[in-house]
């Protein structure tokens, strides 16, 4: 009997997709081993712009710039994953929070803004202005999430999706029409950025656009900064997942009515997810404003919001490392195909076609994403699994 039970398990193991096999291998590691592999993995990722493999390099654009863009989109994907993947709230206007974060930094530091606070010294001196604006941008987007969430989070499903879609468009249209504040469609220029490692070769620092040559160019430095922020956010979100808040989010995502019957304050925890996700989106917007040093309304259109959601769906909703991989695909593929022609067609211009086809195929064969979240007991999970394995061993021995 024990042999008959073991046979189907082995067959199912052979049918596992690569994402499932990697996920099971990862879940079998101890916490110390996970930390070791995590430090090694992110260390190698940090060295990637300095030693780009030929098969990964982007000939049409700087590889460091591509990785910097990946870090920004990965932070957005992690924040959107809190809202969509963890709490199960369909947010189609997440680009609005991205815009609020970017415009907060731009309005406070651009010479074209009437609210410019850039001074010669202090927290808003040229050297520290961007860093001072980052917490302000996160607070502003968290407040925007709170203002949007309080009246709308009692809605569900398609209704919530339509409301958030409208929010994203409202932010973009406000930025386009409030010409006296945001400079309208002309945008805000000369936004502050970190002035660090100023040398004779780079008098404005390594984060300035003047550092545009070599592998350690300004794109690489922005990638390193984004990577540090990404690791910090992953640790924060990981701790939230294992807390009472994370368990409440999972309960709401699986069945909101059942969670409410069991005593979970669903509105409060959904609002927490919305505010936390908004703050993370604002951080990425601040990162974008400092790197590009220019903010304009067309950047925050609905198409970009769909691409952010595409990163979460491709990677695997609820899996924070999976959505980081999804963000890499979203950013890397168009840059890799930039300038590559097939039958006279520039393949870089067909990125939306490729992403659409990828989503269709994924929804048919693997609707949970490339790296789906592992369903497990969040409280006392390790102890429970040990007890269950002992019970199985006892039955097998009998």
């Amino acid at each position: 009997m024990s042999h008959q039970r073991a046979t189907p398990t082995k067959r199912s193991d052979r049918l596992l997709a690569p994402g499932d096999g990697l996920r099971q291998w990862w879940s079998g590691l101890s916490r110390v081993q996970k930390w070791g592999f995590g430090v090694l993995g992110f260390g190698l990722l940090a060295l990637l712009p300095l030693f780009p493999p030929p098969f990964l390099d982007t000939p049409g654009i700087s590889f460091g710039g591509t990785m910097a863009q990946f870090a920004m989109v990965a932070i957005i994907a992690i924040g959107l994953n809190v809202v969509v993947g963890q709490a199960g709230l369909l947010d189609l206007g997440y680009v609005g929070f991205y815009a609020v974060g970017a415009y907060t930094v731009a309005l406070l530091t651009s010479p074209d803004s009437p609210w410019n606070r850039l001074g010669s010294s202090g927290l808003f001196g040229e050297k520290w202005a961007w860093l001072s604006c980052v917490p302000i941008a996160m607070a502003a987007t968290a407040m925007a999430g709170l203002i949007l969430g309080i009246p709308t989070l009692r809605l569900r499903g398609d209704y919530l999706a339509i409301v958030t879609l409208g929010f994203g468009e409202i932010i973009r249209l406000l930025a386009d029409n409030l010409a006296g504040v945001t400079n309208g469609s002309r945008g805000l220029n000369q936004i502050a950025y970190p002035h660090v490692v100023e040398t004779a070769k780079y008098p404005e620092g390594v984060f300035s656009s003047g550092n545009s040559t070599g592998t350690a160019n300004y794109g690489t430095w922005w990638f390193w900064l984004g990577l540090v922020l990404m690791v910090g956010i992953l640790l924060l979100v990981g701790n939230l997942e294992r807390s009472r808040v994370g368990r409440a989010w999972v309960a709401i995502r699986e069945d909101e009515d059942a969670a409410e019957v069991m005593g979970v304050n669903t509105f409060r925890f959904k609002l927490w997810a919305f505010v936390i996700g908004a703050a993370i989106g604002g951080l990425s917007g601040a990162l974008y404003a400092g790197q590009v040093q220019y903010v304009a309304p067309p950047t925050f259109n609905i198409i970009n919001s769909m691409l952010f959601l595409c990163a979460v769906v491709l990677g695997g909703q609820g899996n924070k490392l999976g959505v980081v991989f999804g963000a890499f695909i979203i950013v890397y593929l168009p840059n890799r195909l930039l300038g590559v022609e097939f039958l006279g067609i520039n393949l870089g211009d067909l990125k939306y076609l490729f992403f659409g086809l990828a989503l269709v195929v994924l929804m048919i064969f693997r609707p949970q994403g490339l790296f789906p979240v592992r369903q497990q007991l969040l409280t006392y999970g390790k102890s429970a699994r040990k007890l269950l394995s002992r019970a199985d061993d006892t039955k097998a021995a009998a």
Side-chain angles (χ1 to χ4, degrees):
M1 293 296 291
S2 62
H3 176 71
Q4 291 177 352
R5 288 179 183 172
T7 304
T9 305
K10 291 180 179 178
R11 288 177 180 174
S12 63
D13 288 343
R14 284 197 296 267
L15 295 175
L16 289 175
D20 292 328
L22 183 61
R23 184 185 58 179
Q24 288 195 357
W25 169 79
W26 179 260
S27 63
L29 298 176
S30 66
R31 191 164 181 81
V32 176
Q33 290 174 325
K34 288 180 180 179
W35 271 95
F37 279 110
V39 170
L40 179 62
F42 279 101
L44 293 175
L45 188 61
L47 293 175
L48 202 57
L50 299 179
F51 309 100
F55 65 92
L56 272 182
D57 200 6
T58 51
I61 193 172
S62 166
F63 187 70
T66 299
M67 296 302 290
Q69 186 182 358
F70 152 66
M72 286 189 296
V73 176
I75 292 174
I76 294 174
I78 296 169
L80 185 57
N81 183 57
V82 171
V83 179
V84 177
Q86 294 294 325
L89 306 173
L90 185 56
D91 188 350
L92 298 182
Y94 193 75
V95 72
F97 299 126
Y98 182 52
V100 170
Y103 266 100
T104 300
V105 177
L107 288 171
L108 291 174
T109 63
S110 172
D112 300 328
S113 167
W115 298 351
N116 176 26
R117 293 292 180 271
L118 192 65
S120 57
S121 61
L123 289 177
F124 282 96
E126 190 175 8
K127 190 178 184 67
W128 301 107
W130 181 84
L131 186 60
S132 302
C133 288
V134 168
I136 299 175
M138 295 181 69
T141 49
M143 184 59 66
L146 187 67
I147 293 172
L148 175 66
I150 288 176
T152 62
L153 284 179
R154 300 190 188 278
L155 302 174
R156 299 185 188 179
D158 299 340
Y159 301 102
L160 179 61
I162 292 171
V163 169
T164 54
L165 180 65
F167 166 75
E169 281 297 286
I170 287 171
I171 296 297
R172 184 185 65 83
L173 291 173
L174 282 175
D176 200 11
N177 288 282
L178 294 177
V181 178
T182 63
N183 210 23
S185 58
R186 290 173 296 178
L188 297 171
N189 205 354
Q190 299 179 23
I191 299 171
Y193 59 90
H195 286 256
V196 297
V197 195
E198 295 178 347
T199 62
K201 185 178 181 180
Y202 307 117
E204 295 182 343
V206 292
F207 285 95
S208 70
S209 56
N211 179 20
S212 58
T213 58
T215 54
N217 53 30
Y218 76 104
T220 301
W221 281 90
W222 278 106
F223 166 65
W224 286 338
L225 177 59
L227 190 63
V228 171
L229 296 174
M230 187 199 313
V231 170
I233 294 170
L234 285 173
L235 292 175
L236 172 65
V237 172
N239 287 330
L240 283 173
E241 285 179 357
R242 294 184 292 271
S243 70
R244 180 170 174 262
V245 176
R247 296 194 295 273
W249 287 343
V250 172
I252 293 169
R253 180 189 68 200
E254 297 302 322
D255 194 322
E256 186 173 344
D257 292 327
E260 196 161 8
V261 169
M262 295 303 294
V264 177
N265 190 334
T266 56
F267 176 76
R268 185 178 70 180
F269 285 109
K270 287 195 296 184
L271 192 59
W272 267 111
F274 222 65
V275 171
I276 292 171
I280 296 173
L283 172 61
S284 183
L287 202 65
Y288 167 79
Q291 180 185 347
V292 180
Q293 299 169 38
Y294 173 74
V295 170
T299 307
F300 311 104
N301 55 36
I302 189 63
I303 296 298
N304 282 332
S305 194
M306 295 301 105
L307 285 178
F308 300 154
L309 185 61
C310 184
V312 175
V313 174
L314 279 174
Q317 299 179 48
N319 187 344
K320 55 187 180 298
L321 292 178
V323 301
V324 170
F325 182 76
F328 180 78
I329 295 176
I330 292 298
V331 173
Y332 175 75
L333 185 61
N335 288 320
R336 181 66 181 85
L337 297 177
L338 194 65
V340 178
E341 292 192 359
F342 179 73
L343 299 178
I345 301 173
N346 187 355
L347 296 181
D349 296 334
L350 301 179
K351 60 179 179 180
Y352 300 122
L353 173 63
F354 294 142
F355 293 147
L357 291 175
L359 284 177
V360 170
V361 173
L362 199 68
M363 291 303 101
I364 294 174
F365 296 103
R366 195 171 175 81
Q368 67 272 37
L370 295 174
F371 299 96
V373 63
R374 181 173 180 265
Q375 301 295 336
Q376 60 177 337
L377 294 171
L378 296 178
T379 307
Y380 306 114
K382 191 172 182 180
S383 302
R385 287 193 296 273
K386 285 182 178 179
L387 288 173
L388 289 173
S389 64
R390 289 176 186 172
D392 290 339
D393 293 341
T394 303
K395 288 181 181 179

